[in-house]
Amino acid sequence: MEIGNLFAEASQNAGVVDLDFLVLTIISMAIFLLVFTLVLVFCIRYRRGSNAKRGRLPEIMRREIEAGWTAGTVFLALFIFWWAVAAPAALQGQPAPALKIHIYAKQWMWQVEHPNGAREINTLHLPVGTPVHLLMTSQDVIHSFYVPAFRAKHDVLPDRIVELEFLPTKIGTFHLFCAEFCGTAHSQMTGQVIVMRQEDYAHWREVQPQSETLAAEGAALFHSLGCSGCHDPASAVHAPDLRGVFGHIVQLQGGRQVVADEAYVRDSILLPDKDIVAGFAPIMPSFSNVVNNGQIESLIAYIRSLSPQESAQ
Ligand code: HEC
Ligand SMILES: [Cu+2]
């Protein structure tokens, strides 16, 4: 299969990123030329023995030049900053609901899990024209998810879920790289992103062998790790019922409130003493040395599935 070239602009953001890069290059070249020309001119003009006028500039001129170039560069830098931040930010407010896909990086492969439980390795099938929201984590070292044709790149860290959004706009097959040196076989940690028509993607997803979905794995862990011993509504231990928690506001001890998102649930499992739910004793043990990253993902998926409107995506 032919793989689209790296310079293809295959996502909604690609054009903006390229323009950003071009303008930055032009600005850098212009500054480089200006400085270099001035160096040359001054070298010649003030060479030893020339009778160019030397001595201090008039006070007023010194102040104006100083203020002028300082203000100029500040505005230029602020503009570049705003511009670079505005482009990805515009993607956040996509009207269509984003397709949430989990990515697990490990030495040395990319594992992918689609919302219906379909899994694949080192390939990522996507529908064209649909915003994609990746939730990524690493099982070992730091990797970096990089699809040049989308101009999309993000470090993938252990013990944390990082998010990346983009909107594929071209049908085709594109390169996927790991862009962080992650060990001996780092250079082989590559894959393909296959962007298909929406119907084709839906069909592809349905015919994948349905492995146990994350949530089902999570449910099994929830029992085998003993979470249900406390959290089961019928349990004698006074612990919160986790049904309907995900995506909703939780009252914490001390009057704070948080929204129970992925990070909150992750922290609840690894650092239970960090946020104590109001009205409960801090008796939950930390599971930080018990569960690995993959298992945490499954537990989170399970807890999310207990809030029906959240698991719909
Ligand atoms: C010894 C009993 C006990 C065990 C075992 C236990 N928990 Fe908890 N858990 C609690 C209690 C009590 C709280 C509320 C106090 C707090 O926030 O620490 C809680 C809070 C939580 C919360 C936050 C709930 C909310 O309403 O905001 C989550 C999520 C959670 N536990 C998940 C788990 C998972 C997953 C496991 C298994 C890996 C587990 N718990 C094992 C007792 C337990
Ligand atoms: Cu890697």
Side-chain angles (χ1 to χ4, degrees), residues 130-148:
T130 309
V132 177
H133 187 145
L134 298 181
L135 299 156
M136 307 189 282
T137 190
S138 161
Q139 316 223 346
D140 36 55
V141 299
I142 301 179
H143 301 275
S144 181
F145 179 93
Y146 180 32
V147 181

Side-chain angles (χ1 to χ4, degrees), residues 257-286:
Q257 294 186 331
V258 289
V259 174
D261 56 6
E262 307 235 345
Y264 170 78
V265 174
R266 167 179 289 269
D267 283 353
S268 295
I269 299 171
L270 300 178
L271 308 162
D273 294 339
K274 189 177 147 208
D275 294 318
I276 307 292
V277 185
F280 292 92
I283 53 167
M284 176 167 160
S286 164

Side-chain angles (χ1 to χ4, degrees), residues 132-193:
V132 177
H133 187 145
L134 298 181
L135 299 156
M136 307 189 282
T137 190
S138 161
Q139 316 223 346
D140 36 55
V141 299
I142 301 179
H143 301 275
S144 181
F145 179 93
Y146 180 32
V147 181
F150 293 168
R151 309 294 187 271
K153 188 188 208 181
H154 206 297
D155 275 8
V156 181
L157 311 174
D159 294 323
R160 192 177 307 175
I161 297 166
V162 302
E163 305 183 30
L164 180 63
E165 285 186 27
F166 51 80
L167 195 156
T169 52
K170 281 211 176 96
I171 290 175
T173 304
F174 306 100
H175 285 287
L176 162 64
F177 294 117
C178 177
E180 182 82 51
F181 180 65
C182 57
T184 46
H186 159 70
S187 63
Q188 278 125 326
M189 194 170 161
T190 57
Q192 296 183 350
V193 179

